[in-house]
C-alpha cells in the first residue's frame, strides 16, 4: 500500500536505500517459490509521488507495472483522484488500451453520483464508463489453490477529506463494508458451497493502534483481514480486533508484508504468521522489471521533462546542509529550513515569472513528501519532494486575501497544527511568533510582513495581499471555515477582491508568458539551479521568520487579544461574578439564621 509511484529506490536518512519495484519483484518471486498459491494485493495510493506519475492520466504506468509484477487486486486511494475525474478516467482507459496485464480494482463505497444525485455531471458518466471498461467492482471472488477469497475495496472519511475535488460520493464505510461482506459471502456459499476468506483492501488507516480501520474491525463482522493503507503506518505486529486482523507494511515499498493464515471452509480463520521483509540495497534487482522501469523512465524524459529542458537525474545543486526528514518536520511546531526552501522558491518563481510582488508564499507539512538530500540534489529528488497537485502535478496558485484572513492563515499554523500535524505552515514574506499556551485561535501574538530587502511592514486587516501556494494546499484553504466549525474564515479572492470559485481552482494557476503553468517542482528546481554550485548558506539554519514558544506570563497571554480571548475573559469574569453573588447570598442566609 501507498507505493506512490516509487518505481525507483530512494535513499534512507540514516544511509542505505529502500524500495524500488525491481527489488520488490525479487522478494515477491522468492515468496512465490515458497507459496505458489499466495495472492498479492495492494491497499491503494499506488500513484502520485515521483516523476512517473506525470504519465498517470495517459499511460497508466503504475497499474501496468503492478500487472507486470503479478498483483492480483488493488484499490483506490485518495491520490488516485488528484488528476480529477478526467485524469482517473484517462488512466483507466489507458490501462485497458495498453493491452498489458493489470490487477483487478475493487471499490465499494466511493463512487460517482448517478443521474439525479447531487453532484452528477458528464464527468460522472465518464467515470462510470471507465469503471465498466476496466471492470471495477465492489468486490471480487478469487479462487487460488482451492481457497476462495472475497476481496473488496474500502474508502475512509479522512481519505475522502483529502480528495475534496474527486466528484465522488462516500457511503458510510461500516455500513458499506457489512453489506459487501454479507452479499459476497452469500454469493460464495451459493456458487461454491464454502465460506470465503474475506479481505478488505482499505484506504482508511490506523494511528496509534486505532483509527478508522480499527473502528471497521470492531463494527463489521465477517472480515478476516484488513490491509490498511492511507496513514503510511508500519505495523510490526498485526492488530487483532475480535476475529479480524489489521496489517500495514509502510509506504513507498519499504517492505513486503507477508501474512500466513489458517483457514477452514466453515468461515473461521486465524493469523499464524506475519513478516515485514525489508526492500533495501541488499536485495538484487529483477532484470525484467528493472528494464521496464528504465523504459518508462525514458518515456517520462521524452514526453514530459524535455518540455522543461530538464532530465531525470540532472544535478541542480550540491547541498552541504542536513535538512529534516518529513517525520521530523511533523514532530513539533517550529520553523523548518526545508519549508523555508519550498516557500522561498514559490515566491521567487512567481515574482520572476509575472514581475508582480508576492506578499506571502506558503507550503504545508502535508504536501512535503520527502526531504532534500545531502550532496547532489537532482530533478527527480525535488519532484519526489513536491509531487502533489490537483488536476495535474503540483502547480502554483495566485490568490489574494485580506489582512484579516492573512492573520487567520497564520492562526491555522498556530492553532490547528496540534490537532492536525499536516496543517503546519511554512512561509516566505512574513515573520511572526506565537505562544502555544495562549487561547486557541488567538495564539499568534506578533506578525509583520518581511519584504525582500529585509524591511518589515504592518499587516492592514482591510488591505488585500497577494498569496501564492500550491493547488493541493489551495483547496484546503477554502475548507478552513468548515473544518474549524466556522471559528476561522479564509476567503481566497481575485486581485479586485471578488471571492473565488474554488470548484474552478485551476483557473487561478500562475502561467508564464507562453501560457504554461508554473509547477511547484519546477519552481524549486529552478530556484536551486540559479544558486550555482552550492546550496545558499541562508538555509544552514532557521532565520527567525517563525518563532514558537511557551509562556504563562500574563502580558504574553493577553497581548493582541482577539475576540476568542476576549470572549473567554468575559466568561471567566462572569463566572467569578456568579460565584461572588452566590457566596454573598449564602452569607446573608447564614446571618439571617
Amino acid at each position: 500500500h501507498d507505493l506512490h509511484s516509487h518505481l525507483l529506490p530512494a535513499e534512507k536518512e540514516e544511509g542505505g536505500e529502500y524500495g524500488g519495484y525491481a527489488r520488490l519483484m525479487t522478494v515477491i518471486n522468492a515468496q512465490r517459490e515458497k507459496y505458489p498459491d499466495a495472492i498479492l494485493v495492494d491497499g491503494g495510493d499506488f500513484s502520485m509521488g515521483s516523476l512517473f506519475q506525470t504519465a498517470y492520466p495517459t499511460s497508466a504506468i503504475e497499474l501496468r507495472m503492478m500487472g507486470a509484477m503479478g498483483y492480483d487486486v488493488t484499490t483506490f486511494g485518495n491520490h488516485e483522484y488528484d488528476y480529477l475525474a478526467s485524469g482517473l478516467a484517462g488512466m483507466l482507459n489507458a490501462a485497458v488500451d495498453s493491452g498489458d496485464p493489470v490487477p483487478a480494482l475493487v471499490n465499494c463505497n466511493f463512487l460517482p453520483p448517478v443521474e439525479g444525485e447531487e453532484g452528477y455531471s458528464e464527468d460522472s458518466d465518464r467515470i462510470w464508463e471507465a469503471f465498466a471498461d476496466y471492470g471495477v467492482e465492489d468486490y471480487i471472488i478469487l479462487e487460488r489453490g482451492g481457497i476462495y477469497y472475497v476481496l473488496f475495496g474500502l474508502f475512509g472519511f479522512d481519505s475522502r477529506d483529502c480528495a475534496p475535488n474527486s466528484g465522488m460520493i462516500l457511503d458510510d464505510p461500516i455500513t458499506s463494508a457489512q453489506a459487501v461482506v454479507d452479499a459476497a459471502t452469500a454469493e460464495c456459499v451459493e456458487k461454491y458451497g464454502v465460506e470465503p476468506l474475506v479481505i478488505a483492501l482499505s484506504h482508511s488507516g490506523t494511528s496509534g493502534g486505532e483509527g478508522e480501520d480499527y473502528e471497521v474491525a470492531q463494527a463489521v463482522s465477517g472480515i478476516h483481514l484488513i490491509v490498511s493503507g492511507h496513514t503510511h503506518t508500519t505495523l510490526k505486529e498485526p492488530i487483532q480486533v475480535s476475529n479480524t486482523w489489521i496489517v500495514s507494511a509502510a509506504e513507498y515499498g519499504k517492505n513486503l508484508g507477508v501474512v500466513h493464515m489458517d483457514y477452514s471452509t466453515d468461515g473461521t480463520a486465524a493469523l499464524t504468521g506475519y513478516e515485514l521483509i525489508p526492500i533495501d540495497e541488499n536485495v538484487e534487482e529483477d532484470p525484467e522489471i528493472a528494464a521496464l522501469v528504465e523504459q518508462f523512465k525514458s518515456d517520462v524524459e521524452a514526453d514530459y521533462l524535455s518540455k522543461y529542458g530538464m532530465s531525470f537525474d540532472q544535478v541542480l545543486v550540491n547541498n552541504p546542509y542536513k535538512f529534516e526528514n518529513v517525520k521530523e518536520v511533523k514532530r513539533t511546531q517550529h520553523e523548518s529550513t526545508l519549508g523555508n526552501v519550498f516557500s522561498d522558491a514559490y515566491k521567487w518563481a512567481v515574482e520572476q515569472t509575472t514581475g508582480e510582488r508576492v506578499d506571502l508564499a506558503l507550503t504545508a507539512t502535508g504536501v512535503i513528501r520527502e526531504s532534500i538530500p545531502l550532496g547532489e540534489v537532482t530533478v527527480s529528488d525535488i519532484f519526489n519532494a513536491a509531487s502533489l497537485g490537483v488536476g495535474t502535478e503540483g502547480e502554483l496558485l495566485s490568490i489574494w486575501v485580506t489582512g484579516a484572513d492573512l492573520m487567520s492563515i497564520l492562526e491555522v499554523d498556530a492553532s490547528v497544527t496540534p490537532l492536525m500535524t499536516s496543517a503546519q505552515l511554512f512561509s516566505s514574506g512574513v515573520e511572526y511568533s506565537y505562544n502555544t499556551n495562549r487561547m486557541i485561535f488567538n495564539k499568534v501574538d506578533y506578525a509583520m510582513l518581511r519584504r525582500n530587502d529585509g524591511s518589515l511592514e504592518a499587516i492592514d486587516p482591510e488591505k488585500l495581499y497577494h498569496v501564492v501556494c500550491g493547488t493541493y494546499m489551495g483547496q484546503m484553504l477554502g475548507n478552513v471555515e468548515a473544518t474549524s466549525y466556522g471559528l476561522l474564515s479564509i476567503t481566497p479572492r481575485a486581485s479586485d477582491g471578488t471571492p473565488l470559485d474554488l470548484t474552478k481552482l485551476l483557473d487561478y494557476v500562475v502561467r508564464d508568458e507562453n501560457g504554461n503553468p508554473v509547477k511547484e517542482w519546477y519552481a524549486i528546481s529552478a530556484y536551486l539551479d540559479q544558486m550555482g554550485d552550492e546550496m545558499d548558506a541562508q538555509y544552514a539554519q532557521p532565520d527567525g521568520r517563525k518563532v514558537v514558544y511557551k509562556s504563562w506570563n500574563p502580558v504574553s497571554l493577553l497581548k493582541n487579544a482577539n475576540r476568542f480571548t476576549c470572549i473567554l475573559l468575559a466568561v471567566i469574569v462572569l463566572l467569578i461574578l456568579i460565584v461572588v453573588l452566590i457566596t454573598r447570598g449564602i452569607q446573608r442566609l447564614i446571618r439571617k439564621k
Side-chain angles (χ1 to χ4, degrees), residues 316 337-353 358 360-363 372 382 386 396 426-429 452 468-470 510 518-531 535 538-539 545:
L316 299 167
T337 52
L338 181 63
N340 290 353
V341 171
F342 277 49
S343 55
D344 285 351
Y346 297 164
K347 188 174 190 294
W348 172 87
V350 174
E351 289 181 339
Q352 290 287 313
T353 301
V358 174
L360 177 66
L362 295 165
T363 192
I372 297 175
I382 295 303
L396 292 175
F426 306 108
S427 61
S428 180
N452 292 344
V468 167
C469 64
V510 179
V518 179
K519 308 285 187 179
E520 294 175 59
W521 72 267
Y522 182 74
I524 302 171
S525 296
Y527 182 61
L528 297 182
D529 194 40
Q530 59 86 38
M531 289 180 183
M535 179 76 71
Q538 68 174 306
Y539 300 111
R545 67 183 73 183

Side-chain angles (χ1 to χ4, degrees), residues 295-308 310-312:
Q295 175 193 317
F296 284 133
K297 182 177 174 181
S298 297
D299 292 346
V300 168
E301 284 194 325
D303 298 338
Y304 183 77
L305 286 176
S306 61
K307 300 173 185 177
Y308 298 92
M310 291 187 170
S311 59
F312 221 100

